[in-house]
Structure formats: structure tokens, C-alpha cells
Amino acid sequence: MGKLKLHWQMLIAILAAVVIGLLFDVKTTLLGVSIYSIFDFIGMLFLNALKMLIVPLVMSSIIVGIAGLGGSDNLGRLGAKTIGFYLCSSLLAILVGLLLVNLLSPGVVDGEAAGSRLNLSEPEAVSSQLAAVEGRGVGDITGVFLRMVPPNIVKAAADGQMLGLIFFSLLFGVFMTRISKEPAQTLLGFWTGVYETMMEITLFIMKFAPLGVLGLVAKTILATGFDAFQPLMMFFVTVVLALAIHTFVTLALVLRLAGLNPLKHYRAMLPAMLTAFSTASSSGTLPVTIECVEKNAGVSNRTSAFVLPLGATINMDGTALYECVAAIFIAQAYGLELSFVTQFTIVLVALLTSIGVAGIPSASLVAITVILGVIGLPLEAIGMLLVTDRILDMLRTSVNVFSDSCGAVVIARSEGEQGLLV
């Protein structure tokens, strides 16, 4: 297996996990230990190893990248391009979801609202999910600015508040270039060493990625099973189809318009997308995304160091698409006819919440509760989504990560970088 490329090893691991899910269930034991707990341990060990890298890798990559920009004008230009790309890609994703959910109408069965036919999740599950988002709402969108300037950077790093960490690292990188030459060179040498060391550790950890993927995917399938998908199959298919169209049509066209080869980019990003699928964490996948974008796609650290950490924090194409489809699916299931204005409102709120709420726990649920509040549906309707949420979360995270990588190569192209996707 060592001779196989990493992405093939990871694909084999995913297939093996599916087979394990078909053959066993969550109660199966091996030598007195449940196989679920075994795979849970393997998967969490890999995920923890990736998360361990995030803080030093993000800080060092941003500081080294900003130092290489050579001035605040370049930083402003790069920032405007990055935010502009992410807003446009998220909007395109939402519009794809809006088109598919209106065409396929997953909330309507035989011409009638499907709400009464759907098996809702257990009341306790719904209650626990609602408790996780209790008291949260549209105000959390403005809270993004408070999280951007944390009072304690060490605590922000410990709590995984990526936005505050990115903002501090940007400031540090900018003002490091304004001090006298000798200490600036010392700092640059230090942070360059940290960055290169973290990339070497990432390469080491990725050798164990197939085992980690096997553990994470197997435990998910053992826990959820396949039977639960039947009542919501049309909703599941709608979301998956919309995600696929955005990934393989919309973003492929964006890459082609930028003069880049989409097929080469898919190949370059496959390890990152498979890692995102298994971990369901854009931030957790960030070390792998940076490695793929720099080593496989040929993007400079100068660009990737700024674009990718910011994308892992605010760019959520898959999540925004899912929010839109989920909200309209629930409306259809309740028999609610949505006007053009209401659907436009959903698009706008989905775009805002995918950016502003992404950094808090239960982010997609918070966003959907905000949208449900806007169109006047009960929060208990979230119960219809919980059955398929875990698998769809894995899929939409892969789309989030791929969109981040598209932003990196497109912006690198616009900056005149050579040797991309060679």
C-alpha cells in the first residue's frame, strides 16, 4: 500500500469503512471492546494530531506570507481580491442550491407537503440540538467583529478562535516589517523556521491519514447506519447533487475562466478534500490544504498564507448552499409557498450567516435557525435534518475546502504567479 499515492490510499480507506458499516453495527464488540470505540479512538487521534498543528501553522504562515508582500498596499489588494472571490463563490453556491431545491421539490411527495410522512428525530435529540443554539441569532453575525479582536490572544488560540488569531497574525506580520532591519530579520528567520517545521510535521502526520480516515468514516457509518436515510432520501439527493454541480461545474468554470486546468486542480486537491470529508472540519484540514495548494498546485506561500486561513474561517460555500436548501425544504415540507422576495431573503441571510456565524459551535444549525425565524417556521423543524446531517456535513466541508483552494489558485493567477498546476 506504501507504493500507492496518498489519495488512493485514502479512497481505499473510505471504501473499507463503508464495508465495515455494512457488515457490523454500533453494538458489535471485539475482545470485549466495541468496534465503534476502536474506530472512534483511531479517528480522534488523527483529528487531534491535525488540530495540534493549526495554531503554529496559521500564525507562522500568515506572518511569513505578509512579510513577503512588501507593503500594506499589496496586503489591501490581496485582501480585496480574497474577500471578493469568497463572496462571489458563496453566492454562486447558494444560487445553485436555490435552483435545485425549486426544481426537485424534495419537501413535496405526490403533490402534497411531506412533513407528515417524515420520521422526525427523537425529541431528546431535537432538544439537545436546540439547546446548543439557544439564545443565538442574527446578532451573532455582528459578533464576528468582536471575535476578530480578542482581548487575550493566548486564550483565543486555545479556544480555536481562528478569526482573532488571523487578525493578530496579520498585524504582527505588517508591523514586523516596519521595525529596524536586524530584529526584523531575526523574527522573519524564526517564523520561517516554525512554518517549515510545521509543514514537515504535516507531511509526517499525513502518512497515517488512511488509518485516520478509516476510523473517522467507519465510526460515522456505524453510528448513523443507512436505513435512516430512506425517509429523507430526496432531500439528501438534492443537497448532494447541488454540491456536486457547484464543485464540478461552477467552480470548474471559474478555474477555466482564470486560465487554469480544473482536472489538474482536482487531482492536486484530492488529499485535502478526502481529509475534509473524513474530519468534517475546514480548520482541521487547513494544514493539508496548505500543503496541497503549495506543493501540488504551485501557489506561493505569499498568497496561500493569507487566502487559505481566511477561507477556512469565513468561506463556507457548501454550508451556505446547505442552509438555503434546508430552509426551503422545511418550508416545502410544511406546505409553505415562498414568494420570490422571501427566497431572496433566504439567499441574503444564508450568505451573511455562512460568513458571520461560521466560527461558533453548531454553526450550520445557528444559521438555519436564523433563516427559519426570518420565514416564520418553528425551530423544531430542525429535527427533520438531524438524520442526514453528519454525512452531509462531511460532504459540504469538502466543498468548503475545495472552494478555498480555488480562491488561492485564482488569486495567485491574478497576482501573476507562474508554474500553477504544472
Side-chain angles (χ1 to χ4, degrees), residues 161-227:
Q161 295 179 15
M162 292 293 295
L163 207 56
L165 197 65
I166 290 169
F167 184 70
F168 175 82
S169 300
L170 287 172
L171 288 179
F172 194 98
V174 168
F175 287 97
M176 187 181 81
T177 61
R178 298 186 181 183
I179 62 176
S180 55
K181 186 175 181 181
E182 188 174 337
Q185 286 299 320
T186 301
L187 282 172
L188 181 58
F190 168 77
W191 285 111
T192 301
V194 171
Y195 171 73
E196 291 180 359
T197 303
M198 298 315 299
M199 290 306 294
E200 287 298 319
I201 297 175
T202 301
L203 287 171
F204 171 72
I205 289 174
M206 285 308 293
K207 292 180 181 179
F208 302 94
L211 282 175
V213 167
L214 175 66
L216 289 164
V217 178
K219 76 160 191 172
T220 299
I221 296 175
L222 285 169
T224 60
F226 294 97
D227 295 339

Side-chain angles (χ1 to χ4, degrees), residues 137-176:
V138 74
D140 284 293
I141 300 172
T142 59
V144 69
F145 295 105
L146 291 176
R147 295 195 300 276
M148 189 184 295
V149 189
N152 186 334
I153 189 62
V154 176
K155 187 175 185 301
D159 294 342
Q161 295 179 15
M162 292 293 295
L163 207 56
L165 197 65
I166 290 169
F167 184 70
F168 175 82
S169 300
L170 287 172
L171 288 179
F172 194 98
V174 168
F175 287 97
M176 187 181 81

Side-chain angles (χ1 to χ4, degrees), residues 33-235:
V33 181
S34 72
I35 63 169
Y36 174 85
S37 63
I38 294 172
F39 287 118
D40 182 43
F41 170 77
I42 295 171
M44 291 309 296
L45 193 64
F46 174 66
L47 185 55
N48 287 350
L50 284 177
K51 288 183 175 180
M52 175 181 70
L53 306 177
I54 293 173
V55 171
L57 181 60
V58 167
M59 290 193 70
S60 60
S61 64
I62 290 178
I63 291 169
V64 171
I66 295 303
L69 286 174
S72 57
D73 289 343
N74 291 333
L75 177 62
R77 185 185 69 248
L78 196 64
K81 287 181 180 179
T82 302
I83 293 172
F85 179 90
Y86 287 156
L87 283 173
C88 290
S89 65
S90 293
L91 181 59
L92 288 172
I94 294 168
L95 293 176
V96 169
L98 184 69
L99 177 65
L100 261 290
V101 76
N102 278 293
L103 282 176
L104 300 180
S105 298
V108 178
V109 177
D110 297 330
E112 297 180 357
S116 60
R117 302 189 185 195
L118 293 172
N119 295 323
L120 298 181
S121 297
E122 292 297 319
E124 305 84 51
V126 179
S127 299
S128 65
Q129 295 293 340
L130 291 177
V133 298
E134 186 177 0
R136 296 190 183 277
V138 74
D140 284 293
I141 300 172
T142 59
V144 69
F145 295 105
L146 291 176
R147 295 195 300 276
M148 189 184 295
V149 189
N152 186 334
I153 189 62
V154 176
K155 187 175 185 301
D159 294 342
Q161 295 179 15
M162 292 293 295
L163 207 56
L165 197 65
I166 290 169
F167 184 70
F168 175 82
S169 300
L170 287 172
L171 288 179
F172 194 98
V174 168
F175 287 97
M176 187 181 81
T177 61
R178 298 186 181 183
I179 62 176
S180 55
K181 186 175 181 181
E182 188 174 337
Q185 286 299 320
T186 301
L187 282 172
L188 181 58
F190 168 77
W191 285 111
T192 301
V194 171
Y195 171 73
E196 291 180 359
T197 303
M198 298 315 299
M199 290 306 294
E200 287 298 319
I201 297 175
T202 301
L203 287 171
F204 171 72
I205 289 174
M206 285 308 293
K207 292 180 181 179
F208 302 94
L211 282 175
V213 167
L214 175 66
L216 289 164
V217 178
K219 76 160 191 172
T220 299
I221 296 175
L222 285 169
T224 60
F226 294 97
D227 295 339
F229 290 91
Q230 292 177 0
L232 291 167
M233 186 54 72
M234 199 59 199
F235 168 70

